[in-house]
Amino acid sequence: MAGTPTIFLHAELLPNIRQLTLHVSLPNSASEIDIRESTITLSESCRAVTVFTLHQDVELVETLKLPVKVTDASRRNLSFAGHRVDIGGTESKAQTAEYSFRLQVDPNDAGLTFTNKGFQEDDYVPWTASDMSTCAALHCKFCKQMIVDVASKPDTSSWQWKDLPSGNWAEMMDFWHCHKPDVHPDDKEGQKDIEAQNASVKGYGASNRVVATPRTGLVDVASFLVAESDCQNIKVLEQRPTSTSAKPASHDGKNARNIGCSGCSAIIGTEDSVAEGLRLYKNNIVVKHTGATEHVYETHSIDIITSSRFLDLIDHEGVRRFVIHAGQSNGILLWAFNPDLRYSSSSADHSIVSRRAMKVLYQNATDVERILEPENGVPTPLSLEELFLPENIYDELVLSLRRSNLLMPISARIFREWNVALLDRIEKRP
């Protein structure tokens, strides 16, 4: 027996142009819907829309809370006449009639100030050092085996959490040393002594590097750097063969060995020979906070952690296109099309609260090596960043992108040769 038809609503806010796009998907072809009996109305507060239609004498009603308040004048634009969207001629697509509306955002909405911040100003990193101040333990995401017991050994020095600097901080220091202002010849010797002292104290000298220290957790955008002596219930996993066209993660020119959970053998991190420690992937770790009940763990989705990595690379490297792979010849070519937008959706797995996300365009890449290292005579992509992910994290990301693509309106799933998806972003309210 066929399920009851439903109305699907999807709204996206573009804060830079102060417009909101509303998609309305009505069930089955337009011939089975009496558009004259269908209405779309804006609430009195201008923060929600309600769609009513008749489908085979069955009344269908759906309400969606908008990501932002729109102007009262938008009511005049909410009419199905003239807003039909062409979604193609395949049989499955023909079962849906889609309509699209452009609504103006109310400039006096207080919420617009928050959503209109540039992503550089936001704290988009999940689990910063301040967030981890109440951490009691790190556990395996899959079997909840304890990996790092922060609250243990009360008789020794207390545990500390520290944020790691930007990934390109060393390059920035080299640039500064090469392009610093000239010093008067009479002051050069004294300047050298001052620079040597600063390099030693402030840690940006050539001989300085980040090293994992016992009882200290260093927080990166997508990982925790900890000393091996602080970890338990872990084991070194055998390296699986990888394609010659794509190299796995390596440190100091050596392939890093994967670290797995001794309970379920899932990959939870990797060795870092340069930092003399272990990097635990945030995506495969859950956090238990002080005072939490026995089975309460905090976790972040693959969307949150991946979008934070993209935002960090956009912020510090100025790139928006990425080649993502798991050490195999195939991968994903991804374009961070819009790093910051808000959306709301009436799909079953979404709440009525609007969500913050980044819109990405992606397509399958069958030959990663050819994209990263093109043949002679083929232009080299300058603004393209390689991103290696462990196999289980890569598979989870691919699944998340495909799931997001299917949850979007049919007319918005494809942009030229690209698939469209939304990756949720972390949002920390003040």
Side-chain angles (χ1 to χ4, degrees):
M1 181 177 177
T4 304
T6 58
I7 300 172
F8 174 68
L9 305 178
H10 180 88
E12 288 185 12
L13 166 66
L14 303 177
N16 291 334
I17 61 175
R18 296 177 179 268
Q19 276 194 345
L20 183 140
T21 301
L22 174 65
H23 294 271
V24 179
S25 302
L26 301 180
N28 292 73
S29 63
S31 60
E32 299 183 23
I33 300 174
D34 190 351
I35 295 298
R36 295 170 299 179
E37 297 294 331
S38 303
T39 59
I40 176 170
T41 57
L42 184 64
S43 66
E44 195 67 30
S45 63
C46 296
R47 293 181 179 274
V49 294
T50 300
V51 177
F52 169 84
T53 190
L54 289 174
H55 177 262
Q56 298 178 349
D57 297 328
V58 177
E59 294 184 355
L60 302 178
V61 181
E62 185 66 69
T63 299
L64 178 68
K65 184 177 180 181
L66 301 176
V68 71
K69 182 180 179 181
V70 297
T71 60
D72 190 69
S74 299
R75 300 180 192 275
R76 295 193 298 268
N77 194 36
L78 292 176
S79 170
F80 284 111
H83 290 277
R84 181 75 181 269
V85 179
D86 182 15
I87 57 176
T90 64
E91 183 178 350
S92 59
K93 293 180 179 179
Q95 301 303 311
T96 301
E98 281 199 6
Y99 299 82
S100 177
F101 305 87
R102 285 291 182 95
L103 309 179
Q104 289 297 322
V105 173
D106 188 341
N108 299 319
D109 184 17
L112 186 62
T113 304
F114 181 79
T115 60
N116 204 23
K117 289 181 179 179
F119 57 86
Q120 294 92 343
E121 302 175 10
D122 296 326
D123 185 5
Y124 50 75
V125 179
W127 285 331
T128 61
S130 59
D131 299 330
M132 300 296 289
S133 60
T134 59
C135 172
L138 303 181
H139 294 254
C140 170
K141 173 183 176 180
F142 307 98
C143 68
K144 304 303 184 292
Q145 183 88 271
M146 181 180 290
I147 305 300
V148 178
D149 188 0
V150 176
S152 65
K153 304 177 183 178
D155 55 323
T156 61
S157 59
S158 60
W159 185 282
Q160 297 182 68
W161 290 101
K162 298 180 180 179
D163 287 317
L164 283 170
S166 166
N168 62 344
W169 70 276
E171 181 180 348
M172 294 170 61
M173 287 296 101
D174 288 341
F175 181 84
W176 181 82
H177 278 289
C178 293
H179 299 275
K180 60 187 176 182
D182 291 333
V183 180
H184 193 275
D186 297 337
D187 299 330
K188 280 190 175 181
E189 292 300 324
Q191 184 68 20
K192 288 181 180 179
D193 294 337
I194 295 174
E195 288 181 2
Q197 182 180 2
N198 286 340
S200 176
V201 174
K202 298 182 179 180
Y204 56 75
S207 60
N208 286 278
R209 57 191 173 93
V210 175
V211 177
T213 306
R215 306 295 298 167
T216 299
L218 302 177
V219 185
D220 202 352
V221 177
S223 63
F224 300 113
L225 177 60
V226 296
E228 186 174 357
S229 58
D230 290 327
C231 298
Q232 54 185 291
N233 302 319
I234 61 173
K235 62 181 181 180
V236 177
L237 300 178
E238 295 184 5
Q239 288 286 79
R240 296 183 60 180
T242 58
S243 170
T244 56
S245 63
K247 298 179 181 179
S250 62
H251 300 284
D252 199 21
K254 300 179 181 179
N255 288 345
R257 297 187 297 176
N258 290 326
I259 301 300
C261 170
S262 62
C264 62
S265 297
I267 298 176
I268 59 172
T270 184
E271 290 182 335
D272 190 334
S273 57
V274 175
E276 301 177 5
L278 305 180
R279 287 190 178 272
L280 305 179
Y281 300 127
K282 288 182 179 180
N283 196 77
N284 292 346
I285 291 291
V286 293
V287 175
K288 187 174 182 181
H289 290 279
T290 305
T293 56
E294 184 177 357
H295 300 293
V296 175
Y297 304 94
E298 183 183 36
T299 184
H300 286 294
S301 67
I302 181 69
D303 288 19
I304 295 293
I305 297 174
T306 304
S307 64
S308 68
R309 296 191 69 176
F310 291 154
L311 291 168
D312 183 68
L313 290 169
I314 293 171
D315 195 3
H316 296 106
E317 301 291 343
V319 295
R320 291 203 181 196
R321 297 201 182 198
F322 308 91
V323 176
I324 309 170
H325 64 89
Q328 305 298 323
S329 60
N330 62 312
I332 294 177
L333 181 60
L334 185 141
W335 177 11
F337 185 73
N338 187 340
D340 194 4
L341 60 81
R342 297 191 72 89
Y343 76 100
S344 55
S345 173
S346 64
S347 58
D349 65 334
H350 285 69
S351 66
I352 62 172
V353 180
S354 65
R355 301 165 79 162
R356 195 173 190 182
M358 66 185 307
K359 176 174 282 189
V360 298
L361 311 180
Y362 71 96
Q363 57 182 259
N364 294 327
T366 56
D367 193 341
V368 171
E369 182 183 20
R370 180 173 295 180
I371 297 176
L372 296 173
E373 299 178 5
E375 300 175 353
N376 293 334
V378 179
T380 303
L382 298 178
S383 58
L384 192 64
E385 186 76 14
E386 180 183 9
L387 184 61
F388 171 82
L389 296 177
E391 188 173 2
N392 59 345
I393 298 180
Y394 173 83
D395 292 340
E396 190 176 352
L397 175 61
V398 171
L399 184 62
S400 178
L401 290 172
R402 292 174 179 171
R403 185 186 301 116
S404 174
N405 179 259
L406 293 175
L407 290 177
M408 297 190 69
I410 295 176
S411 60
R413 293 177 185 176
I414 302 293
F415 178 74
R416 296 179 181 174
E417 70 273 17
W418 299 86
N419 299 304
V420 184
L422 296 174
L423 290 178
D424 285 341
R425 288 183 46 173
I426 193 169
E427 186 170 16
K428 299 180 179 180
R429 295 287 184 177

